[in-house]
Amino acid sequence: MPGDWGHRLGPLNPLVEGLVFALVCFAACYVLMAKVLLPRIDAVLHDRDELLSPREGPWLPDGCEPGLPVRLLAEARHDAARTRQRAYEEGAAIIAAARARALEERTELLARGREQIASARAAAEAELRADVDALARELAARILGEPVGAASDQR
């Protein structure tokens, strides 16, 4: 049936009118790209290459050899790499020294803390030893309900 287009649609059965329209659109885009945009892009890239070329360029003084900027750039990169390496090594040395100082301070703090704890423990022990007899009698008296020891002797 000529009027029934439903069974012919799909990617495997394209309409001839659609193919012609797509071909015309493709040709228009191709001509636009080939005749207008690509020459402009090529001109800009060519100008850029001329400006960046080490053999020619506005920054080269008269009588300067062509490869000089490239060598200068390479030397500058090597100097920068050496500077970065020195800075890294100096930083590592500073960090190592700071760690060593921190470990020494930690050791000193721990030693002082242990000494303070030992002296506080000795002071507390001496204080409690002096009062141990009185505290023991008072506790025994509470448990037994009557005075014990020196208090009972006084009676």
Side-chain angles (χ1 to χ4, degrees):
M1 290 185 193
D4 186 19
W5 296 98
H7 65 82
R8 291 187 59 209
L9 291 178
L12 299 178
N13 289 323
L15 295 176
V16 175
E17 297 87 13
L19 285 176
V20 170
F21 179 72
L23 185 62
V24 169
C25 288
F26 175 76
C29 289
Y30 180 80
V31 168
L32 178 71
M33 288 288 287
K35 299 293 181 184
V36 178
L37 293 177
L38 288 178
R40 289 182 184 176
I41 292 172
D42 284 338
V44 168
L45 289 176
H46 180 71
D47 291 344
R48 180 181 148 249
D49 287 341
E50 282 183 3
L51 288 175
L52 294 178
S53 171
R55 293 178 300 282
E56 304 165 1
W59 63 82
L60 282 177
D62 292 335
C64 182
E65 70 179 82
L68 183 64
V70 174
R71 282 197 306 267
L72 290 176
L73 185 60
E75 288 177 17
R77 285 184 179 146
H78 287 291
D79 288 343
R82 280 191 294 265
T83 303
R84 276 192 305 271
Q85 183 64 29
R86 263 196 320 268
Y88 176 77
E89 291 169 358
E90 289 174 6
I94 290 170
I95 289 172
R99 270 197 189 123
R101 280 195 311 270
L103 286 175
E104 289 173 7
E105 289 178 14
R106 175 182 155 258
T107 305
E108 291 174 10
L109 278 173
L110 287 175
R112 272 188 277 159
R114 286 186 185 115
E115 289 173 6
Q116 287 176 352
I117 289 172
S119 65
R121 177 179 283 157
E125 188 177 328
E127 185 178 327
L128 286 176
R129 283 195 190 276
D131 295 333
V132 134
D133 286 338
L135 291 173
R137 284 187 191 124
E138 183 180 334
L139 183 61
R142 282 187 193 172
I143 291 173
L144 296 175
E146 59 184 62
V148 176
S152 65
D153 293 342
Q154 293 176 357
R155 281 198 247 167

